[in-house]
Amino acid sequence: MKKSIIACITLPVVLLSMMACDRSKAADPKDSLDKTETIKADSVQKTKALTIDTIDFDKRNAALSVNDTTGKWPVKAPYPLPGAILPYNRIIAYYGNLYSTRMGVLGEFPRQEMLEKLKGEVARWQAADPTIKAIPALHYIAVTAQGAPGKDNKHRMRMPFKQIDTIISWAKPINALVFLDIQVGHSTVKEEVQQLAQYLSMPNVHLGIDPEFSMKNGERPGSKIGNFTAQDINDAIDILVDLVRKNNLPPKVLVVHRFTQGMIKNYKDIKTVPEVQIVMHMDGFGSKVLKRSTYLRYIYKEPVQFTGFKLFYKNDNKNDWEMYTPEELVKFTPKPVYIQYQ
């Protein structure tokens, strides 16, 4: 892999010593009509869908993979619970942390300016592909890997809950989704996801997990690229499944970052379930040729469920490079349904 796609393993110094990375089965298809039950709430009858329209779902999913001839896409997986976000929408997310202007656009600009920029990107994507609704999201790094061990020797820092509350309040005026992202350091996916359970129990809050800073052999985060096993990812899925069932929620979206082969181990063992929709997210910067190659080698060739693509306002626009446009990315196979800007 060229240095540009993994340049983020260097360890910049930012406020609070945070890692500031500039990087970069199934329902019966014949049962295609919604089943519903009538429930009463405050003496008013409401209808609640029990299943999705599977014919419509299959049609939309196939449209994302229209040019694939290998049989890899669309991925065969259980149908989601009602209320699923994908493939009915394309998520356009701004990524970052409020303590740092270098970790992403979410923390780089004042709130209103940032939200206006995000709405502009959503409009661009809607124009580029009118067949799928583009919706906004704020993707907040809620746990950051650390070069220093910290009091518990786990090389990670959990952001105060008041910061998460702030992001959720920012999302409301534009009806945006919220993603909470974790960089585990020497901790584990299970431990870090569990401490966010109160937020992940909210219908509009979803999860991102980043293997880059998962140091299983005790290395300092940022000294090398880390990895997740399928079991790590399944641990996150299990927690989300439990929260969805206990709180009667629509499916959660789980974004898994990836830009090298070694970042994800045993991808075929990652489980797919009705309660969680998995996005394997191409998370690296560089030239268009390099980024497309990364997408094909690690996202397309190792299918899990849905795909994402990351764009860097700065690092994709230097060294004579140009950032991909929405019009270019909607021609990819499969079409990414989660787009993240840093």
Side-chain angles (χ1 to χ4, degrees):
M1 195 57 136
K2 294 184 180 180
K3 290 183 179 179
S4 55
I5 206 74
I6 61 171
C8 56
I9 66 172
T10 57
L11 189 68
V13 177
V14 297
L15 185 61
L16 297 182
S17 302
M18 291 190 297
M19 297 295 300
C21 179
D22 269 340
R23 340 154 271 188
S24 55
K25 177 198 173 217
D28 187 347
K30 296 179 182 179
D31 186 17
S32 62
L33 297 179
D34 289 356
K35 293 181 179 179
T36 62
E37 68 174 0
T38 300
I39 59 176
K40 289 187 177 182
D42 297 329
S43 300
V44 177
Q45 287 191 338
K46 296 181 180 180
T47 300
K48 177 184 176 182
L50 296 179
T51 63
I52 65 166
D53 181 337
T54 56
I55 291 178
D56 179 62
F57 179 90
D58 288 342
K59 181 179 178 180
R60 292 172 182 271
N61 218 15
L64 298 176
S65 315
V66 65
N67 295 318
D68 182 54
T69 58
T70 66
K72 291 179 179 289
W73 299 90
V75 177
K76 296 177 177 62
Y79 289 113
L81 296 178
I85 293 172
L86 306 174
Y88 308 99
N89 303 276
R90 175 175 283 116
I91 303 166
I92 313 300
Y94 267 9
Y95 170 93
N97 181 282
L98 296 183
Y99 283 128
S100 172
T101 60
R102 297 180 61 191
M103 296 182 78
V105 64
L106 178 57
E108 183 177 358
F109 297 97
R111 176 184 60 87
Q112 196 55 44
E113 183 178 355
M114 180 272 296
L115 293 177
E116 290 300 320
K117 285 174 65 69
L118 175 56
K119 288 192 291 184
E121 295 294 359
V122 171
R124 288 181 64 209
W125 277 93
Q126 191 64 74
D129 186 1
T131 66
I132 180 171
K133 183 178 180 181
I135 60 175
L138 302 180
H139 195 123
Y140 181 65
I141 313 168
V143 181
T144 65
Q146 301 289 297
K151 291 182 179 180
D152 58 5
N153 204 38
K154 292 193 176 180
H155 286 265
R156 59 95 177 93
M157 178 180 290
R158 294 171 176 172
M159 298 296 103
F161 283 172
K162 65 180 181 180
Q163 292 277 9
I164 299 175
D165 294 337
T166 296
I167 295 299
I168 291 173
S169 70
W170 286 9
K172 287 181 180 179
I174 62 169
N175 197 29
L177 302 177
V178 171
F179 285 81
L180 301 180
D181 207 271
I182 61 172
Q183 301 172 354
V184 300
H186 291 187
S187 184
T188 65
V189 170
K190 182 181 291 186
E191 181 178 351
E192 298 308 316
V193 175
Q194 285 175 335
Q195 66 94 25
L196 294 171
Q198 68 183 82
Y199 291 104
L200 294 169
S201 297
M202 300 177 180
N204 68 319
V205 179
H206 303 270
L207 180 65
I209 56 177
D210 193 345
E212 181 180 358
F213 303 107
S214 173
M215 303 290 111
K216 298 185 181 301
N217 298 313
E219 305 93 342
R220 176 175 59 84
S223 64
K224 62 178 292 186
I225 298 173
N227 71 83
F228 283 153
T229 64
Q231 186 56 57
D232 293 323
I233 298 169
N234 289 341
D235 284 343
I237 292 169
D238 288 341
I239 294 171
L240 293 175
V241 167
D242 185 60
L243 292 174
V244 166
R245 291 176 178 174
K246 284 182 176 179
N247 296 283
N248 195 26
L249 300 172
K252 293 293 180 182
V253 178
L254 172 63
V255 173
V256 183
H257 302 272
R258 186 178 194 182
F259 59 90
T260 71
Q261 181 73 40
M263 288 175 75
I264 304 297
K265 309 290 187 183
N266 311 115
Y267 82 95
K268 291 182 179 180
D269 294 330
I270 298 172
K271 64 175 71 176
T272 51
V273 294
E275 296 86 356
V276 180
Q277 299 192 289
I278 306 166
V279 174
M280 300 304 293
H281 177 51
M282 202 299 288
D283 179 16
F285 66 82
S287 68
K288 288 182 178 179
V289 172
L290 184 56
K291 294 189 72 161
R292 181 175 177 82
S293 174
T294 302
Y295 188 79
L296 291 174
R297 292 170 67 188
Y298 310 130
I299 306 299
Y300 170 77
K301 287 187 177 181
E302 297 193 356
V304 177
Q305 195 168 20
F306 297 98
T307 71
F309 202 95
K310 190 165 188 174
L311 296 167
F312 294 76
Y313 282 120
K314 295 178 181 177
N315 286 341
D316 284 350
N317 284 305
K318 65 181 184 180
N319 301 326
D320 297 322
W321 301 335
E322 291 182 353
M323 189 169 71
Y324 269 112
T325 67
E327 290 78 9
E328 291 170 326
L329 287 176
V330 296
K331 295 177 182 178
F332 276 33
T333 300
K335 297 179 183 180
V337 289
Y338 173 87
I339 305 297
Q340 186 181 95
Y341 287 88
Q342 180 168 327

